[in-house]
Amino acid sequence: MLTFEQKLAIIESFPELQRRDVSLGRVNFHFEESATDKKNVVYHLHPNGNGFVYAEYIEGYPLDHKGMVNIREFSEDELRNVVQQSIASLSVTNDDSLSDTEEPIEETWVNKENHALVLLHEDDMWNVYAGLNLDGTFPSYNEAKQYLLEEGFRWQK
């Protein structure tokens, strides 16, 4: 299990997050640029190593009633991954529908090697393109987003 200091160092390596000290030595980290009302990414990181990360829009984690996953036993890679996915999930709206008056959504997602994929809403489907090549088609935005996150891509503003 990572220590409190190790978890702090990992979380503080995300420049998108702002630290907020709360009671009993606990620390929260906010994502002020969130596209939703939810801004708390890390909640009540405690000196005993316990803490939570908001993961409501991320598949594969056991969540509490607030959409949080407990990170007490997470490894460094697991912690980095869930924080990165949480930030990405809050970077875009989670509404799968577009009204007729809205512009089509086109997003660029980039991985650690700077490879880029483009997510485009076309004909009521969500298509992922690698250059001119179609990489995948998904019936909802959340499914396309989950695919991109699982493949190690982050939304680039």
Side-chain angles (χ1 to χ4, degrees):
M1 179 174 87
L2 298 170
T3 66
F4 175 70
E5 290 78 18
Q6 290 169 318
K7 288 178 182 173
L8 269 180
I10 292 165
I11 296 164
E12 287 175 338
S13 72
F14 290 89
E16 306 97 320
L17 300 178
Q18 286 82 40
R19 179 180 173 151
R20 303 275 170 93
D21 294 334
V22 291
S23 63
L24 304 174
R26 296 174 299 187
V27 181
N28 290 347
F29 285 87
H30 288 213
F31 178 48
E32 296 298 331
E33 311 247 336
S34 176
T36 72
D37 290 337
K38 186 72 176 165
K39 302 212 182 292
N40 219 1
V41 171
V42 178
Y43 179 70
H44 284 180
L45 181 62
H46 193 277
N48 70 9
N50 202 24
F52 301 89
V53 170
Y54 185 68
E56 184 171 351
Y57 301 112
I58 306 169
E59 292 183 21
Y61 294 103
L63 304 178
D64 66 11
H65 67 282
K66 294 181 181 178
M68 299 280 191
V69 60
N70 189 303
I71 58 168
R72 181 177 185 82
E73 301 295 328
F74 275 33
S75 69
E76 179 177 350
D77 288 341
E78 290 171 324
L79 181 57
R80 281 188 194 284
N81 189 40
V82 74
V83 170
Q84 179 180 8
Q85 289 183 59
S86 180
I87 292 168
S89 75
L90 294 173
S91 295
V92 293
T93 61
N94 290 300
D95 183 5
D96 288 344
S97 63
L98 288 174
S99 72
D100 293 337
T101 60
E102 291 181 3
E103 291 292 318
I105 292 179
E106 182 176 328
E107 298 175 349
T108 301
W109 292 66
V110 180
N111 67 7
K112 290 179 183 177
E113 292 83 32
N114 271 341
H115 295 114
L117 295 177
V118 173
L119 176 60
L120 186 60
H121 187 250
E122 301 176 301
D123 300 324
D124 294 325
M125 297 298 283
W126 295 89
N127 296 320
V128 176
Y129 289 95
L132 297 175
N133 298 323
L134 181 63
D135 187 60
T137 298
F138 303 89
S140 74
Y141 175 82
N142 283 338
E143 289 177 76
K145 179 178 72 173
Q146 186 64 34
Y147 166 76
L148 290 162
L149 291 171
E150 288 172 0
E151 294 299 317
F153 285 82
R154 281 184 34 186
W155 180 56
Q156 184 177 16
K157 292 182 184 180

